[in-house]
Amino acid sequence: MEDRQFGRISFICGENGGRYPFNHSVYIEGDDARVIIDPASNLEKLKRLQKKDGVDMVWLSHWHEDHIRYLYLFEDCPKWISARDFPPLSNVEIFLDWYGLEETPQRDYWKKEMLGTFNFQPLQKARFIEDDEKIDLGNLQVQVIATPGHTPGHLSFFFPTEEILFLGDYDLTSFGPWYGDVASSIEDTIKSIHRLKAIPAKRWITCHDTGLFEENPGDLWGSYENVIYEREARLLEFLGQPRSLQEIAAAWLIYGKPREPRDFFEFNERALMKKHLDYLVRQGRVLRDKDIFSRL
């Protein structure tokens, strides 16, 4: 996978093929401002970009750690983000709360990761991007697309003249969508996938894995959404008899088998399963009696 340039918009390929804990970044060069979106791709590339081409502001599609890894390089640049996603970036304890990290070993693991691997430095202020805002960077127009679900303030960006759509973490991977945070939403995730699919783009950029699609992703849209329903079906089958959340998480219905580091993957498994249980309870398809869940 290579870096690519499309006029004033550059795709910057991330380390490890853009897979977690890295991502792919986007660089925008307007007449009035130069922007880096989600600076967590590659340390040396971002350093060269800052020194050679310059960066005037940083845009964040959302608050997750794998999108802020090298944010510290741009300490003097204004940070732009949705107001809904700003709180966790202001304090590491709030950050951990937003993931729902309550148990001490996991919370300690994640705090160490945030301060070490992801170079977390609290933001004191930011410029809040409005939903559906139109931004003129000087002969380069950007249409903000509000795409909640993954996080409450997740943003995608459409460049109408170039017909390029930045999907952020609606990445069309085989793993499927993430909606495990405290404020994530399965319902909003589905709506956002449909909204993005309907935008008339010619190229699509995502933050992870494949990263750049120069032809319509086609069936990938449906496959990506269907992962949600496949997870749900496995859960409902497992609920052929009443189960606790602990038993459900221990079945590894998301990842298929235990993975390392356990503090990372056990938390992810539990968080996603809890979202599905809450979703199914709201739909009246699962009954919760104290800590036990049963299929109706």
Side-chain angles (χ1 to χ4, degrees):
M1 192 183 307
E2 299 179 349
D3 296 354
R4 296 286 301 279
Q5 185 165 351
F6 307 101
R8 294 165 175 256
I9 301 170
S10 299
F11 168 78
I12 303 173
C13 180
E15 291 185 49
N16 194 34
R19 288 182 286 276
Y20 187 94
F22 303 95
N23 71 359
H24 304 303
S25 302
V26 171
Y27 180 67
I28 316 167
E29 194 168 7
D31 287 346
D32 300 333
R34 298 157 297 179
V35 179
I36 186 74
I37 303 178
D38 292 353
S41 48
N42 178 287
L43 181 58
E44 295 307 316
K45 288 181 184 180
L46 292 172
K47 283 182 176 179
R48 287 197 302 269
L49 182 70
Q50 182 189 42
K51 184 175 180 180
K52 179 183 176 182
D53 299 302
V55 174
D56 299 308
M57 60 181 71
V58 178
W59 293 1
L60 298 173
S61 62
H62 62 296
W63 63 270
H64 285 163
E65 69 279 1
D66 54 323
H67 296 255
I68 62 170
R69 184 173 185 137
Y70 302 123
L71 188 61
Y72 68 91
L73 292 176
F74 309 98
E75 182 179 2
D76 297 330
C77 295
K79 314 304 188 297
W80 291 35
I81 189 171
S82 167
R84 294 189 300 277
D85 270 21
F86 178 73
L89 297 181
S90 68
N91 182 288
V92 71
E93 299 298 338
I94 297 175
F95 192 103
L96 300 174
D97 289 343
W98 274 46
Y99 266 134
L101 287 156
E102 298 174 355
E103 298 179 15
T104 300
Q106 288 184 344
R107 191 176 179 96
D108 290 345
Y109 167 84
W110 275 93
K111 187 171 184 178
K112 182 179 178 181
E113 284 292 294
M114 289 308 305
L115 298 177
T117 301
F118 296 103
N119 308 292
F120 182 89
Q121 297 179 14
L123 295 182
Q124 303 302 316
K125 61 181 180 179
R127 194 284 207 181
F128 297 142
I129 304 173
E130 300 294 332
D131 292 354
D132 304 323
E133 180 177 351
K134 294 181 180 178
I135 303 171
D136 185 349
L137 296 174
N139 288 321
L140 197 155
Q141 310 299 316
V142 187
Q143 174 67 58
V144 177
I145 311 294
T147 45
H150 181 69
T151 67
H154 186 284
L155 300 174
S156 302
F157 302 100
F158 181 51
F159 305 90
T161 300
E162 295 79 8
E163 298 177 291
I164 293 174
L165 176 59
F166 173 77
L167 301 172
D169 259 9
Y170 291 91
D171 50 25
L172 302 179
T173 61
S174 59
F175 176 77
W178 169 268
Y179 35 77
D181 307 352
V182 172
S184 298
S185 165
I186 293 177
E187 295 96 326
D188 286 344
T189 294
I190 294 169
K191 291 175 184 176
S192 290
I193 293 170
H194 292 176
R195 184 177 189 189
L196 289 166
K197 182 180 178 181
I199 293 172
K202 293 287 182 66
R203 292 185 176 93
W204 296 258
I205 294 175
T206 76
C207 279
H208 297 290
D209 287 36
T210 300
L212 174 64
F213 297 87
E214 296 197 69
E215 296 182 357
N216 194 303
D219 291 343
L220 284 180
W221 291 107
S223 298
Y224 186 69
E225 181 182 346
N226 282 337
V227 171
I228 299 171
Y229 312 126
E230 291 164 1
R231 292 168 177 169
E232 179 182 282
R234 291 196 295 273
L235 174 57
L236 287 170
E237 181 179 2
F238 190 66
L239 289 177
Q241 64 183 68
R243 310 273 190 177
S244 67
L245 176 57
Q246 184 175 353
E247 290 175 309
I248 294 166
W252 294 95
L253 301 177
I254 299 291
Y255 289 101
K257 61 181 180 180
R259 297 192 181 188
E260 296 293 339
R262 291 292 283 265
D263 284 328
F264 177 86
F265 286 103
E266 284 181 347
F267 167 74
N268 288 355
E269 182 79 28
R270 182 184 180 94
L272 287 171
M273 283 291 93
K274 186 176 186 304
K275 282 292 177 178
H276 273 281
L277 288 167
D278 292 344
Y279 181 56
L280 290 168
V281 168
R282 288 196 300 274
Q283 289 185 322
R285 300 168 67 192
V286 165
L287 175 67
R288 177 174 186 169
D289 182 10
K290 296 181 180 179
D291 294 327
I292 300 298
F293 297 88
S294 305
R295 186 180 68 202
L296 294 176

